[in-house]
Amino acid sequence: MTIASKISQTDIAVTGATGLCAGANIRTPIGERHVEFLRRGDLVVTRDNGLQPVRLIWSRTVSEAEIAADPSLAPVLLNTRAIGPMMPQRPLRVGGAHRLLIPGWRLLDEEDSVNCLVPARDVDGVSLGNDAEPAETTYFNIVFDAPQVFCANGMPVESFVPCEDTLRAAPADVREGLAAIFPDLGPKFADYPAPAYKQRQRVSYTPSYA
């Protein structure tokens, strides 16, 4: 399978839902746990920084009416091996704006070692969840001390990155909770560490994994 880039560097969208849907299995030191059962202080196995404690989890429920009015709020469905071997190991539902870590060897115009963060909705060929009637969906966003990549159903995904753009959809109590956890950061979280990986959009691929 080859992923061909169609990115516009000036077209970086931030709209849509982020987060993992209920049932996503997250790697922890005591085995896999569904994202909806994680709690603040739990340790998660991360790609680059070993075990990291969860600082906050916030959930966002999107109603059927909201999804019908704005289809970008519908979850994206990644079928088994949609991105590559064991990525994901089983079907995974995420918000359309949630970023996946795509290995560089799957991108035509990247070095093999340059892995890229790509919003799930911008990978051509994935299901946008529109095959059925829109249903209420709850998204779970995990916050660490810094951006992390961790596995959900075997698929490397990015943790929630609080910033002015991504916090627009967060309720006031979440913003207040983040401010309490990170009191040294500015009100717009401009000082929160930047993601460690290159960010891209609009990549297409030809599936070859059944």
Side-chain angles (χ1 to χ4, degrees):
M1 177 174 75
T2 300
I3 297 178
S5 172
K6 297 191 300 181
I7 184 175
S8 167
Q9 295 289 352
T10 60
D11 184 15
I12 303 298
V14 295
T15 58
T18 62
L20 309 174
C21 296
N25 279 322
I26 310 302
R27 288 186 63 197
T28 77
I30 57 173
E32 292 187 335
R33 293 182 62 186
H34 285 179
V35 64
E36 64 267 32
F37 298 138
L38 286 177
R39 296 294 181 266
R40 182 177 174 181
D42 288 346
L43 295 176
V44 169
V45 179
T46 67
R47 177 185 175 91
D48 303 302
N49 298 295
L51 300 178
Q52 291 294 316
V54 173
R55 297 302 304 274
L56 182 142
I57 299 177
W58 72 278
S59 60
R60 176 189 182 187
T61 298
V62 182
S63 69
E64 293 185 25
E66 289 175 305
I67 293 175
D70 182 359
S72 73
L73 297 177
V76 166
L77 172 63
L78 297 170
N79 288 314
T80 302
R81 306 175 77 186
I83 303 301
M86 308 298 284
M87 293 188 294
Q89 296 171 344
R90 59 187 68 87
L92 175 68
R93 294 168 71 239
V94 301
H98 202 94
R99 294 192 292 208
L100 317 173
L101 187 67
I102 306 295
W105 55 268
R106 305 306 297 278
L107 299 166
L108 279 176
D109 53 354
E110 293 287 358
E111 297 292 333
D112 288 355
S113 60
V114 181
N115 301 324
C116 298
L117 292 167
V118 182
R121 63 166 176 240
D122 288 342
V123 180
D124 281 354
V126 300
S127 169
L128 297 179
N130 294 327
D131 296 335
E133 291 297 320
E136 180 177 277
T137 300
T138 299
Y139 297 106
F140 296 87
N141 290 274
I142 303 175
V143 183
F144 297 96
D145 284 319
Q148 303 291 344
V149 170
F150 60 97
C151 283
N153 289 6
M155 181 70 219
V157 300
E158 186 185 35
S159 63
F160 181 75
V161 179
C163 65
E164 183 178 8
D165 288 332
T166 59
L167 286 174
R168 287 174 184 162
D173 61 332
V174 170
R175 295 194 295 270
E176 291 168 0
L178 286 166
I181 293 171
F182 303 106
D184 296 330
L185 298 183
K188 296 181 179 179
F189 285 86
D191 299 325
Y192 189 80
Y197 294 94
K198 184 176 181 177
Q199 301 171 44
R200 297 193 60 169
Q201 287 191 310
R202 297 185 179 178
V203 294
S204 60
Y205 70 92
T206 302
S208 63
Y209 293 97

